[in-house]
Amino acid sequence: MLVRRSLGEWQELWALRDVTFSVRAGETLGIIGENGSGKSTTLKLLAGILAPDRGSIEIAGRVSSLLELGAGFQGEYTGRENIYLYGVLLGLRRHQIEQRFDDIVAFSELGSMIEYPVKNYSSGMYMRLGFAVAVHLDPDILLIDEVLAVGDAHFQQKCFEYLEGLRAAGRTIVLVSHDLESVRRFCERAIWIDHGRVSADGPPEQTIQSYLDATARRPVRAPGEDYEVPGFGRLTGDVRITSVRLLGNQGETRSLSPQDRLTLEIGYTSDVSSGVGVQVNVFRNDGTHCTDANSYDEGVPLRLKRGSGSVRLTFPRLGLNTGTYDISIGIFDPAAHRFHDFHERRYPFTVRGGHAVVSIDHTWDLEVGAGKRAG
Amino acid sequence: MGPLVSQRYLSTYRPGWLLPIRDLTELVEHRDLLSLLITKELKIKYKGTTLGFMWSLLNPLLMMVVYTAIFSVIARFPLQQYPIYLLSGLLPWTAFAAAVTGATLSIILNGHLVRRVKFPNQFLPITSVAAGLVNLIPSLGILLVFVPAFGRSLGWPLLALPLLLLLQAVFTAGIALILSAVTVYFRDLEHLIGILVTVWFFATPIIYPLGTFSGHRVLGTLLLLNPMTWLISGYQAVWYYDRWPEAWQLLALAGTGVALWVVGALVFGRLQRRFAEEV
């Protein structure tokens, strides 16, 4: 229970309620959910940093947690001193840390930087050291919150390989992540926490699917409701987006591969007959604006008639690589410079395949020179 | 490389009072943490200063000069070799005051650790206490030089010093535990503590002799009920009067210290549960 002051009054806020689950030794569990759903609170409770107001938590084994970037490093301390500090915080003896010291430094790829204060580190270096320390101190149970989102692809890959090793060695790993793809790839089981309760618990594929389905079904905003698209004022409500379907090569889907065709089928109901523009933006879950399409800017006339209908937008080849994405859709009146309706980042999907950011169509050509012939 | 620890780490987190006894085993397991935190505290304290650790000797010496200058002009106490009397009380007091003020802020200043890692948080205020004592012990060397230099004698009562230091540690730790935990919820304490310590300083016979208020019934009694009077009088007995500390004072101090420690452990254990949310 969190008690927070709001407008001079105290109110009860349950960050988590009726949450019951158990994790077998050696299991890898993913926890997914929206921001503020209670994922991180769950992890802090498991880590023993927060104590529950009701109920109990039982843990067998040494817990190491990587809850925030850097696990509580002291800026003034060198990397070396921070390794020792974190180790003794976890309850290790000095000599036990000494045994692992070289492995930690090697894994972190920090080299001689290990002798410099961590305040001089880049965020990537900080993260590498944090991860290296947390996984090398031989936890029975490892709790990881998001941190893998940071760092370059090479190091991320290395982290996952190391975690695979820990898993093979029978360690228990609990991973909280926004990155549904990591959870799908790495975890044997996933739970979805929604508004402080467990909404789904099962194989990652299933849990992620129910999460995505529910996100897609979120209640549509009432037309003309007090919602403003920054720079465009309130919605007119004259045209409403009534349904959105994501169609891949084989019909409706939320899981795609970079080579797939993606068609958005946007159903609408219009109270007016007028020309509109439709705007679609695709974001990656870290906020990167990946691509957009705008019928008006592209000179495509879309004239709606009073009543219902649908607009289709097709990307013949998606081109986006592994990751979790979100789509925003807006229908606007180009003349009045206002939006009729706007669905902000309401249509998530995941892509599997490829490691770089995008797959760009390309061709190869080989030209063999005339060369010299002997003799 | 096998796992370091196995299933014996079984922790259950439940609401309610934490048993101090479980905390004790936790403290033992984390013993290397304490030495590391103390080193860190001392390093940070003297970081960037030219004289470094010398300041823990210089500071009380300078204070002694100031107080001696003031009190040989304004109020003359019936004390021979006043600097010795002053120093013998001022040195342990400085350690006590530094520990108490340091402990008050210890949880808040280490919020980034408290929020991210589970470890026995008691070590934070206890570190302040230990760091104060680590500073005190070498500074007592000043007295070892000054007492004979001022022509006064030192003798067997010096053997009581370890006991005095131990009692000071227990008593200070109890107060430190309570203050550090309460400050997390009642931040005003952070600002109040300076004035409280100052009042306590003047309510303890450090710059004046114990007998000063013996004519005044209320003040005289209050002075005798002040645990710091018992402690400081002990040090003064050893260094200034060259006699053994009063047994009743030591016993009273031990009793108060243990009681404070128990209360401190309970209060701390209770309040600790929300530290991560509050700091």
Side-chain angles (χ1 to χ4, degrees):
Chain A
M1 174 181 62
L2 296 174
V3 182
R4 287 220 182 106
R5 199 198 290 271
S6 81
L7 299 170
E9 284 181 19
W10 292 86
Q11 68 180 105
E12 278 189 15
L13 269 176
W14 289 92
L16 290 172
R17 281 209 94 157
D18 302 331
V19 172
T20 304
F21 64 89
S22 57
V23 186
R24 275 187 298 106
E27 198 171 25
T28 45
L29 175 77
I31 302 181
I32 60 173
E34 293 183 356
N35 285 330
S37 59
K39 299 189 302 279
S40 297
T41 308
T42 308
L43 217 55
K44 282 192 170 173
L45 285 165
L46 291 179
I49 293 167
L50 294 181
D53 291 289
R54 303 268 171 80
S56 68
I57 296 160
E58 292 205 9
I59 287 169
R62 179 199 294 281
V63 177
S64 170
S65 53
L66 205 47
L67 296 188
E68 284 170 65
L69 196 60
F73 288 159
Q74 297 272 328
E76 298 290 326
Y77 272 33
T78 64
R80 171 188 295 274
E81 288 166 327
N82 269 303
I83 293 174
Y84 278 93
L85 175 63
Y86 191 68
V88 293
L89 279 170
L90 286 188
L92 291 174
R93 306 298 314 276
R94 265 168 196 279
H95 62 89
Q96 294 174 316
I97 303 165
E98 240 146 68
Q99 287 168 10
R100 285 152 180 86
F101 187 81
D102 293 337
D103 289 338
I104 295 175
V105 178
F107 190 91
S108 69
E109 300 173 10
L110 282 168
S112 59
M113 277 303 285
I114 204 73
E115 307 297 348
Y116 289 88
V118 298
K119 65 178 177 189
N120 299 332
Y121 286 14
S122 69
S123 62
M125 293 162 76
Y126 212 82
M127 185 262 161
R128 295 203 312 256
L129 184 61
F131 186 87
V133 171
V135 298
H136 279 85
L137 296 176
D138 256 321
D140 300 311
I141 300 163
L142 183 63
L143 309 174
I144 305 178
D145 191 357
E146 290 300 349
V147 286
L148 291 174
V150 200
D152 55 275
H154 153 75
F155 193 74
Q156 249 184 46
Q157 189 59 32
K158 190 166 153 183
C159 290
F160 271 110
E161 277 163 19
Y162 194 89
L163 291 179
E164 286 290 351
L166 283 183
R167 175 163 75 178
R171 303 302 158 78
T172 310
I173 302 171
V174 179
L175 177 74
V176 160
S177 186
H178 272 111
D179 183 8
L180 302 178
E181 198 41 48
S182 306
V183 172
R184 193 202 307 271
R185 227 176 1 160
F186 182 71
C187 299
E188 298 161 347
R189 185 181 141 207
I191 62 177
W192 162 33
I193 296 188
D194 189 30
H195 294 101
R197 291 165 199 268
V198 177
S199 275
D201 184 345
E205 205 64 48
Q206 267 175 32
T207 305
I208 290 171
Q209 201 52 53
S210 29
Y211 169 64
L212 290 178
D213 288 348
T215 331
R217 274 201 310 274
R218 249 181 299 183
V220 176
R221 199 178 284 110
E225 188 194 339
D226 235 4
Y227 176 80
E228 289 196 3
V229 182
F232 294 92
R234 288 179 47 176
L235 305 177
T236 67
D238 292 342
V239 183
R240 274 101 52 204
I241 299 170
T242 51
S243 69
V244 173
R245 297 208 299 156
L246 275 65
L247 306 169
N249 292 351
Q250 280 102 32
E252 192 160 6
T253 181
R254 292 291 171 129
S255 308
L256 296 147
S257 83
Q259 321 306 333
D260 285 353
R261 182 182 66 229
L262 172 63
T263 298
L264 291 182
E265 193 182 82
I266 306 161
Y268 66 84
T269 303
S270 177
D271 298 341
V272 292
S273 295
S274 75
V276 297
V278 175
Q279 177 191 317
V280 171
N281 293 301
V282 181
F283 297 90
R284 200 169 60 190
N285 67 337
D286 61 357
T288 306
H289 187 180
C290 298
T291 187
D292 58 4
N294 186 317
S295 66
Y296 180 73
D297 289 349
E298 293 158 21
V300 179
L302 294 176
R303 249 203 111 67
L304 306 188
K305 290 218 171 93
R306 205 182 291 256
S308 302
S310 68
V311 181
R312 281 165 164 258
L313 168 68
T314 298
F315 297 98
R317 205 186 71 86
L318 182 59
L320 296 171
N321 282 351
T322 301
T324 306
Y325 300 86
D326 242 328
I327 303 174
S328 295
I329 299 172
I331 300 183
F332 60 97
D333 178 349
H337 204 62
R338 287 185 66 184
F339 273 92
H340 293 303
D341 198 0
F342 189 78
H343 286 187
E344 191 182 9
R345 299 187 66 168
R346 212 182 284 181
Y347 304 101
F349 65 94
T350 62
V351 179
R352 255 208 283 190
H355 289 293
V357 181
V358 292
S359 306
I360 298 176
D361 288 333
H362 50 268
T363 56
W364 298 92
D365 279 302
L366 173 67
E367 201 171 303
V368 180
K372 280 183 186 168
R373 286 199 180 193
Chain B
M1 202 161 54
L4 291 169
V5 190
S6 56
Q7 307 301 317
R8 75 193 178 81
Y9 265 79
L10 179 74
S11 3
T12 307
Y13 310 129
R14 285 181 202 285
W17 293 75
L18 291 173
L19 289 171
I21 192 75
R22 214 200 70 199
D23 290 350
L24 281 182
T25 59
E26 216 182 5
L27 296 190
V28 174
E29 261 156 19
H30 282 73
R31 56 194 173 280
D32 280 359
L33 173 60
L34 190 60
S35 61
L36 194 130
L37 285 176
I38 294 171
T39 324
K40 171 187 151 211
E41 177 123 343
L42 294 176
K43 257 193 205 163
I44 288 175
K45 189 166 179 181
Y46 299 112
K47 187 175 182 286
T49 60
T50 319
L51 294 176
F53 195 73
M54 288 301 288
W55 275 112
S56 65
L57 305 181
L58 267 177
N59 241 329
L61 278 180
L62 293 173
M63 291 281 281
M64 178 196 81
V65 173
V66 171
Y67 279 119
T68 308
I70 293 172
F71 289 109
S72 50
V73 179
I74 305 172
R76 294 184 146 269
F77 298 116
L79 291 166
Q80 304 285 317
Q81 288 94 31
Y82 178 69
I84 300 299
Y85 177 83
L86 182 69
L87 261 190
S88 60
L90 194 58
L91 289 175
W93 174 269
T94 311
F96 170 76
V100 167
T101 33
T104 302
L105 282 171
S106 62
I107 305 287
I108 294 169
L109 289 184
N110 288 290
H112 60 289
L113 290 182
V114 173
R115 276 196 309 272
R116 295 175 188 177
V117 193
K118 179 185 187 278
F119 68 99
N121 292 347
Q122 297 93 317
F123 275 169
L124 295 173
I126 290 187
T127 296
S128 306
V129 176
L133 289 176
V134 169
N135 265 322
L136 171 61
I137 291 166
S139 72
L140 288 177
I142 302 178
L143 280 167
L144 223 42
V145 177
F146 271 48
V147 176
F150 274 76
R152 297 191 70 91
S153 58
L154 280 174
W156 290 114
L158 274 177
L159 292 178
L161 266 184
L163 180 62
L164 286 170
L165 288 169
L166 176 70
L167 290 175
Q168 176 166 2
V170 173
F171 177 74
T172 316
I175 293 178
L177 280 172
I178 297 170
L179 285 178
S180 63
V182 171
T183 311
V184 174
Y185 300 87
F186 182 61
R187 294 286 174 105
D188 306 55
L189 205 54
E190 176 186 336
H191 303 282
L192 270 173
I193 193 68
I195 191 73
L196 289 178
V197 166
T198 309
V199 170
W200 204 343
F201 173 73
F202 287 108
T204 307
I206 297 167
I207 51 174
Y208 53 85
L210 182 58
T212 310
F213 296 104
S214 54
H216 195 297
R217 212 186 209 164
V218 180
L219 285 182
T221 314
L222 278 179
L223 206 58
L224 279 179
L225 289 176
N226 173 2
M228 282 309 280
T229 302
W230 310 332
L231 179 69
I232 297 297
S233 299
Y235 283 104
Q236 288 161 343
V238 170
W239 290 112
Y240 184 76
Y241 296 107
D242 189 18
R243 59 170 189 241
W244 294 94
E246 301 265 3
W248 74 268
Q249 289 185 332
L250 297 186
L251 281 173
L253 194 60
T256 317
V258 170
L260 268 176
W261 189 310
V262 170
V263 172
L266 287 173
V267 167
F268 197 95
R270 180 70 186 157
L271 295 182
Q272 181 181 25
R273 302 176 48 238
R274 282 192 188 282
F275 280 175
E277 288 167 69
E278 299 286 341
V279 293

